[in-house]
Amino acid sequence: MRTLRRLFSILLLIGLYASSLLAQANGDYKTVKSGNWNDPTTWQVYNGNWGTATASPDSNAVGRISVLAGHTVTVTANANADSLVVESGGSLVINSGV
């Protein structure tokens, strides 16, 4: 019984940790389609829920920037990112000279 209780506690902690990694925070950006980094229509931004971005992420972006699986984002001009995640199956293309 103690072993089962200990196992349950460990699984609960793992679940809580994993859910905190997947949680969204205000200021997070994610791709909605493939496109140019500087095109706001490439992105959605999280502010309590996911909505259409009015600007592309830049050095002032406070959250995580995610390129989702199946999407390709092309960087054609200088851009800064603090926390960038490219999911498996996603692509980030940086043009030469940028």
Side-chain angles (χ1 to χ4, degrees), residues 24-88:
Q24 302 306 309
N26 284 344
D28 284 357
Y29 278 82
K30 71 175 182 178
T31 54
V32 68
K33 64 177 185 168
S34 294
N36 188 302
W37 179 284
N38 292 320
D39 181 359
T41 65
T42 302
W43 304 99
Q44 286 185 321
V45 66
Y46 189 84
N47 288 314
N49 54 27
W50 288 107
T52 304
T54 57
S56 57
D58 60 17
S59 60
N60 295 320
V62 295
R64 180 175 57 196
I65 303 166
S66 299
V67 177
L68 302 182
H71 295 164
T72 299
V73 174
T74 304
V75 180
T76 59
N78 290 343
N80 294 316
D82 185 354
S83 178
L84 176 65
V85 175
V86 180
E87 290 185 356
S88 178

